[in-house]
Amino acid sequence: MSTFAKASSKFNYKPLLALAAAAAGGYGYVNYKKGAPAPQSPKNPAPAASLLATNVREATTSVSSFEKYQQIYNDIAKKLIDEDDYDDGSYGPILVRLAWHCSGTYDQNDPSKNKGGSYAGTMRFQKEQDDPENAGLKTAQDFLEPFKTKYPELSYGDLWTLGGVVSIQELGGPKIKWRPGRKELGLDAVPPYHRLPHAPEEEPDYVRSVFHNRLGFTDQEMVCLIGVGHALGRCHTNASGFDGPWTFSPTMVTNDFFKLLLDEDWKVRDWNGPKQYTDSKTKSLMMLPTDMALKTDSKFREYVELYAKDEEKCMKDFADVFSRLLELGIKFPDSTKPMVFKTLEEQDQ
Ligand code: HEM
């Protein structure tokens, strides 16, 4: 019998389906500047806040009606609920990962057309799909493709970020503010590889090199993003090479990652795969080396403890920081107000 809790009556544990084969490739250490001050709280903003006002792209949209986007939200949400025959019972986690990976390539220090972020929708090109960190994400792109056909005016950047918003909300998470207007750019806008974080890195400063130096987040914000993100879904040996879920409820947005990270006894797994940790009690959960860095670093750990204790604060902070992640490097006109969608349940659909 499965050890997995049911996310809701709609989601049951289902055995892993095969994902796309992992692409091989070398990894580079991202440009962490040793000694760079890492802000410790949202009150002490990271560089992105002041950002390099020129290093942004202008969003424009011809479709500004809230009702139109709520309709697209509903369409995606219905497919998400209907197609529960995937992985642990939902495509939601992999859609969240797609939203994060199309946004997390952003480099606030890169003024070139290859600055990354969700704006340009460049993961539609094979070249970006072949970034080793993106292995398996074609499944999420394919899931959303019918909505590009149905709503051709919706750009890929808007579609993939909206897919993440739908998933967070429908899997019981907080409301995520979202704005439309991203525009597709060509193959020459594909960002360089190795910007997305590489899980075998165990050094806390490596995590900061990605989330602070490039994306502009504080220690608290990076802890929140990683911990709530990894409450969802699982690792797949045929995608990243890692194996297993982080929590017992991988189709629910919770603060369980933080509780489990602190409470369980984590040991290096004895197996034929990459270094990962497993809980001594059930041996069914996992932590990546980068996840363990959130426990070993005293500054990160302070926020792990905070979020383990206070789920409400955790969800409130996540809503804010996930929404900003999806908008990195984009300037929205004043007329494009953030939208907050109703869940299917709220609309009784
Ligand atoms: C240090 C930062 C991070 C690293 C090294 C990392 C690494 C990984 C790896 C190796 C996987 C397994 C992929 C697979 O085998 O299918 C994964 C899955 C996942 N990650 Fe992360 N990640 C990081 C941050 C984040 C963030 C910030 C989010 C979202 C806010 C996120 C959301 C997810 C989700 C939802 C999955 C599950 C996908 C699925 O079930 O198919 N991750 N991550």
Side-chain angles (χ1 to χ4, degrees):
M1 201 168 86
S2 157
T3 48
F4 293 90
K6 280 187 179 181
S8 77
S9 56
K10 291 174 190 121
F11 300 118
N12 294 309
Y13 171 71
K14 296 276 163 58
L16 165 69
L17 288 187
L19 290 183
Y27 298 97
Y29 199 75
V30 184
N31 56 333
Y32 175 65
K33 296 180 196 102
K34 284 246 179 261
Q40 301 303 317
S41 89
K43 286 186 195 126
N44 183 12
S50 57
L51 221 172
L52 304 166
T54 53
N55 196 9
V56 290
R57 288 160 165 153
E58 301 272 344
T60 52
T61 176
S62 53
V63 195
S64 54
S65 114
F66 171 78
E67 288 69 28
K68 176 79 187 171
Y69 287 106
Q70 179 73 62
Q71 187 191 333
I72 304 173
Y73 174 105
N74 290 353
D75 279 6
I76 299 174
K78 281 178 189 156
K79 182 168 154 87
L80 193 64
I81 303 302
D82 287 349
E83 297 187 15
D84 63 355
D85 196 18
Y86 171 75
D87 238 9
D88 298 308
S90 175
Y91 280 91
I94 199 168
L95 295 185
V96 171
R97 187 160 197 247
L98 174 63
W100 137 240
H101 275 221
C102 77
S103 309
T105 51
Y106 181 62
D107 185 349
Q108 62 183 352
N109 309 301
D110 182 354
S112 83
K113 62 180 179 304
N114 309 103
K115 60 172 71 45
S118 68
Y119 185 92
T122 42
M123 213 197 287
R124 69 190 192 282
F125 296 116
Q126 192 63 46
K127 187 175 171 193
E128 191 165 330
Q129 289 167 23
D130 285 346
D131 183 330
E133 308 303 346
N134 285 335
L137 285 178
K138 187 69 172 43
T139 303
Q141 290 180 256
D142 290 347
F143 177 92
L144 291 173
E145 190 59 28
F147 305 106
K148 181 67 179 168
T149 311
K150 184 168 178 189
Y151 304 103
E153 68 279 15
L154 194 68
S155 67
Y156 278 107
D158 282 352
L159 176 61
W160 294 336
T161 52
L162 185 56
V165 170
V166 170
S167 301
I168 293 289
Q169 295 195 174
E170 296 296 320
L171 298 184
K175 292 295 177 78
I176 309 290
K177 289 184 184 149
W178 179 85
R179 287 184 284 188
R182 295 161 187 80
K183 292 277 168 275
E184 276 137 30
L185 298 178
L187 182 61
D188 60 345
V190 169
Y193 287 6
H194 311 310
R195 283 190 177 174
L196 293 162
H198 184 43
E201 306 283 352
E202 205 148 357
E203 274 292 304
D205 278 351
Y206 170 77
V207 178
R208 293 188 176 95
S209 76
V210 176
F211 283 86
H212 178 68
N213 294 6
R214 271 201 312 94
L215 302 175
F217 291 117
T218 64
D219 276 8
Q220 180 164 1
E221 289 165 340
M222 50 191 111
V223 168
C224 189
L225 273 173
I226 297 168
V228 178
H230 287 173
L232 287 173
R234 58 169 55 239
C235 294
H236 305 85
T237 47
N238 56 352
S240 61
F242 296 95
D243 176 42
W246 292 265
T247 66
F248 292 110
S249 51
T251 59
M252 281 176 81
V253 181
T254 64
N255 66 339
D256 285 0
F257 170 99
F258 298 113
K259 294 192 220 165
L260 290 161
L261 183 62
L262 292 175
D263 295 348
E264 296 306 318
D265 173 40
W266 296 97
K267 293 264 189 300
V268 175
R269 177 169 166 181
D270 184 13
W271 77 317
N272 224 353
K275 181 181 176 186
Q276 66 175 63
Y277 292 80
T278 190
D279 70 301
S280 305
K281 218 184 288 164
T282 72
K283 294 194 168 50
S284 62
L285 301 178
M286 68 95 58
M287 288 285 163
L288 298 166
T290 43
D291 297 319
M292 291 305 285
L294 305 185
K295 188 172 179 174
T296 53
D297 182 87
S298 64
K299 292 187 192 110
F300 283 154
R301 191 182 169 118
E302 189 187 320
Y303 302 115
V304 173
E305 287 170 3
L306 170 72
Y307 290 134
K309 267 195 230 104
D310 192 340
E311 183 163 31
E312 204 181 317
K313 165 117 183 100
C314 177
M315 292 303 144
K316 188 172 166 291
D317 288 357
F318 179 75
D320 172 59
V321 71
F322 190 68
S323 178
R324 281 191 284 130
L325 171 71
L326 304 185
E327 298 192 348
L328 288 175
I330 306 172
K331 185 176 182 324
F332 291 87
D334 292 344
S335 55
T336 304
K337 303 288 178 225
M339 300 181 185
V340 177
F341 300 108
K342 289 197 166 76
T343 61
L344 288 185
E345 200 174 2
E346 284 168 335
Q347 301 164 78
D348 210 10
Q349 292 247 0

